[in-house]
Amino acid sequence: MSNGEVMSTGKIENAESKAMILLLGLRRGGKSSICKVLFHNMQPLDTLYLESTSNPTMEHFSTLIDLAVMELPGQLNYFEPSYDSERLFKSVGGLVYVIDSQDEYMNAITNLAMIIEYAYKVNPNINIEVLIHKVDGLSEDFKVDAQRDIMQRTGEELLELGLDGVQVSFYLTSIFDHSIYEAFSRIVQKLIPELSYLENMLDNLIQHSKIEKAFLFDINSKIYVSTDSSPVDIQMYEVCAEFVDVTIDLFDLYKDSQQNEQKDKNSKAVHNRPRELKNVSQLGNDVIIYLKQMIRGLALVAVIRPNGADPESCLTVADYNVDILKKGLEEIWANARIHPKESS
Ligand code: GDP
C-alpha cells in the first residue's frame, strides 16, 4: 500500500491533509534503508545495495491517521531560495534526523543544529527527533558513550544558537533489530492527538481480561500506534511483532489464486484482505499470544498470562473484550474522525 512516490523539488503534494514526518540526515546515514525496512518489508541486509536517493521521496502510511514520511536526500540544500522549505517545514509534525553513529558525526550535528534553528523558527510546534543510528556496530559501552556525546554536543550547538529551550528526543536505532520500529512507534504516537483515549481503552481491556500487555499494531509496518500504560518491554514487543509476521505469512500461504495475481510482494495490502486476520497461539510457558485485526489495517496483539486459570475461558473473555475495543475504535473513527495534529 505504501508506494514510494518521487516528488519534484519544491512541490509538496498532499502534504497538508496528512501528519507529515520529515526524514533528514547526511548522505549514507541510513534514511532510505529505514524507509525500505519499515514500509516495504525489505530485509536489512538488502539495503547494502541501495542506491543513494537524489530526489525527495514520500511514503504514505495510513493507520489510525494518514501519515506521510518524506525523505529528503542528504545533499539537498533546503535553504536554497528555489526550495519551498518554509511551506514544507510548516506542514510537518515531526522532524526525524538520522545520525550515523559509526561515522564521524560532528558535521551531522552541525547540520542538525542548523536545521533545528530553521525548523523551529517557521514551526515552533514541530517535534524534533534524533536517531543515533547504526548502533548495531557499537559495543554496549560505546553505545552509551556515543549517545552521551551526541546529546551533549547537540546541546552545546543549540545553546550557541540561543535554542537551549528546544526539546529534542534521542533514540538509539538499527535496522537489524526492533529498535527502529520502537523509535518510529514513539515518533508516530506523538502525532496522534487521541492517543490518551486509545491508551485508556487498552488499559480497560487489560483490566478486564487476563492480558498482561496489549499493542495496537499497524500490520504493514509493525509500528505500534498505541499500547496500554504499563512500560514497554522490548522483548515483549519483539515477540508481538514477530507474531504479526508469522500471521501474515500463514495467511498469505493460503490466499486464493485471484489474490495471488494482485499480490505485491513488498507491500502486503492488508486493507484488501477479505477475511479478518485472527491468530491465537499458546507458547511453551503457557503464555498465549492473541492477534485480531481491528479497523484500518490495525491489529490488536495481546499477551495473555492465564496464571493457572483455564486458558479457554481466558480466551472467551479476551474475545468478548476485544470485540468491545473494536467497536470503540470504529466509533472513534466514524464519529470523531481522528485528525492529524495541526502542526502550526
Ligand atoms: P541514505 O543516503 O541516508 O538514504 O543512506 P542509505 O539508506 O543508502 O544507507 C547507507 C548505508 O548504510 C547502506 O549500505 C545501508 O545498508 C547502511 N545502513 C543503514 N542502516 C543501517 C543500520 O542500522 N546498521 C548498519 N550497520 N548499517 C546500516
Side-chain angles (χ1 to χ4, degrees), residues 289-300:
I289 308 204
Y290 178 105
L291 178 150
K292 189 156 191 244
Q293 190 167 353
M294 302 276 107
I295 61 166
R296 299 205 92 218
L298 292 173
L300 175 90

Side-chain angles (χ1 to χ4, degrees), residues 175-299:
I175 52 170
F176 289 96
D177 58 31
H178 285 89
S179 56
I180 192 66
Y181 296 93
E182 165 81 9
F184 256 83
S185 299
R186 291 180 190 273
I187 291 165
V188 165
Q189 283 168 33
K190 289 191 191 167
L191 300 173
I192 302 180
E194 276 78 1
L195 190 67
S196 57
Y197 288 135
L198 297 176
E199 205 176 280
N200 271 338
M201 284 164 81
L202 291 170
D203 277 345
N204 243 325
L205 171 73
I206 302 207
Q207 270 162 23
H208 296 100
S209 325
K210 292 260 180 200
I211 295 176
E212 187 172 296
K213 186 79 192 153
F215 293 97
L216 204 50
F217 268 96
D218 172 59
I219 301 174
N220 282 317
S221 64
K222 279 168 286 146
I223 285 172
Y224 64 93
V225 294
S226 182
T227 180
D228 60 275
S229 55
S230 70
V232 175
D233 168 30
I234 185 86
Q235 275 175 346
M236 203 173 274
Y237 166 75
E238 282 172 16
V239 169
C240 292
E242 268 154 32
F243 199 63
V244 174
D245 267 344
V246 170
T247 305
I248 291 186
D249 286 348
L250 281 174
F251 193 98
D252 286 347
L253 209 60
Y254 294 105
K255 68 180 165 209
D256 64 39
S257 52
Q258 200 188 359
Q259 273 177 289
N260 256 328
E261 282 166 23
Q262 297 170 349
K263 142 177 123 171
D264 169 357
K265 189 167 167 281
N266 285 330
S267 62
K268 298 168 175 175
V270 173
H271 291 296
N272 299 335
R273 291 204 161 91
R275 275 183 294 131
E276 184 185 61
L277 288 175
K278 186 172 178 199
N279 191 5
V280 178
S281 189
Q282 188 158 12
L283 309 182
N285 56 358
D286 285 343
V287 168
I288 301 170
I289 308 204
Y290 178 105
L291 178 150
K292 189 156 191 244
Q293 190 167 353
M294 302 276 107
I295 61 166
R296 299 205 92 218
L298 292 173

Side-chain angles (χ1 to χ4, degrees), residues 93-107:
L95 186 158
V96 178
Y97 192 93
V98 183
I99 295 182
D100 182 347
S101 66
Q102 294 188 16
D103 200 8
E104 205 284 304
Y105 47 69
M106 270 321 288
N107 282 343

Side-chain angles (χ1 to χ4, degrees), residues 121-187:
K121 196 169 70 197
V122 291
N123 180 2
N125 293 323
I126 200 163
N127 297 329
I128 297 173
E129 324 275 7
V130 176
L131 305 186
I132 301 174
H133 192 54
K134 306 194 191 177
V135 291
D136 49 274
L138 309 181
S139 69
E140 276 309 312
D141 284 354
F142 213 83
K143 240 186 246 183
V144 178
D145 284 351
Q147 180 177 23
R148 193 186 308 120
D149 194 45
I150 290 175
M151 287 172 73
Q152 191 180 339
R153 287 172 192 266
T154 309
E156 285 165 7
E157 292 268 344
L158 290 179
L159 187 65
E160 242 171 64
L161 296 168
L163 292 169
D164 40 316
V166 177
Q167 277 248 339
V168 183
S169 309
F170 293 86
Y171 308 82
L172 292 168
T173 55
S174 162
I175 52 170
F176 289 96
D177 58 31
H178 285 89
S179 56
I180 192 66
Y181 296 93
E182 165 81 9
F184 256 83
S185 299
R186 291 180 190 273
I187 291 165

Side-chain angles (χ1 to χ4, degrees), residues 8-182:
S8 58
T9 316
K11 235 169 128 195
I12 307 141
E13 290 163 41
N14 294 328
E16 290 78 6
S17 59
K18 298 186 163 61
M20 263 260 275
I21 294 179
L22 201 56
L23 196 58
L24 300 173
L26 299 184
R27 258 187 106 244
R28 308 294 293 161
K31 301 179 293 301
S32 316
S33 313
I34 292 172
C35 282
K36 293 283 186 238
V37 169
L38 284 181
F39 304 113
H40 296 271
N41 287 328
M42 186 182 265
Q43 289 303 311
L45 271 180
D46 292 341
T47 64
L48 272 175
Y49 312 107
L50 272 183
E51 298 228 350
S52 200
T53 18
S54 50
N55 279 317
T57 50
M58 184 97 119
E59 307 283 346
H60 293 287
F61 156 54
S62 293
T63 69
L64 208 52
I65 57 173
D66 289 326
L67 266 170
V69 176
M70 186 175 176
E71 182 201 340
L72 293 185
Q75 69 275 22
L76 196 77
N77 184 357
Y78 321 120
F79 308 113
E80 263 177 19
S82 63
Y83 195 75
D84 193 358
S85 5
E86 184 167 336
R87 192 163 146 237
L88 175 65
F89 279 81
K90 270 194 175 143
S91 66
V92 162
L95 186 158
V96 178
Y97 192 93
V98 183
I99 295 182
D100 182 347
S101 66
Q102 294 188 16
D103 200 8
E104 205 284 304
Y105 47 69
M106 270 321 288
N107 282 343
I109 292 175
T110 312
N111 181 242
L112 164 67
M114 197 173 75
I115 291 174
I116 294 179
E117 185 186 26
Y118 181 78
Y120 197 66
K121 196 169 70 197
V122 291
N123 180 2
N125 293 323
I126 200 163
N127 297 329
I128 297 173
E129 324 275 7
V130 176
L131 305 186
I132 301 174
H133 192 54
K134 306 194 191 177
V135 291
D136 49 274
L138 309 181
S139 69
E140 276 309 312
D141 284 354
F142 213 83
K143 240 186 246 183
V144 178
D145 284 351
Q147 180 177 23
R148 193 186 308 120
D149 194 45
I150 290 175
M151 287 172 73
Q152 191 180 339
R153 287 172 192 266
T154 309
E156 285 165 7
E157 292 268 344
L158 290 179
L159 187 65
E160 242 171 64
L161 296 168
L163 292 169
D164 40 316
V166 177
Q167 277 248 339
V168 183
S169 309
F170 293 86
Y171 308 82
L172 292 168
T173 55
S174 162
I175 52 170
F176 289 96
D177 58 31
H178 285 89
S179 56
I180 192 66
Y181 296 93
E182 165 81 9

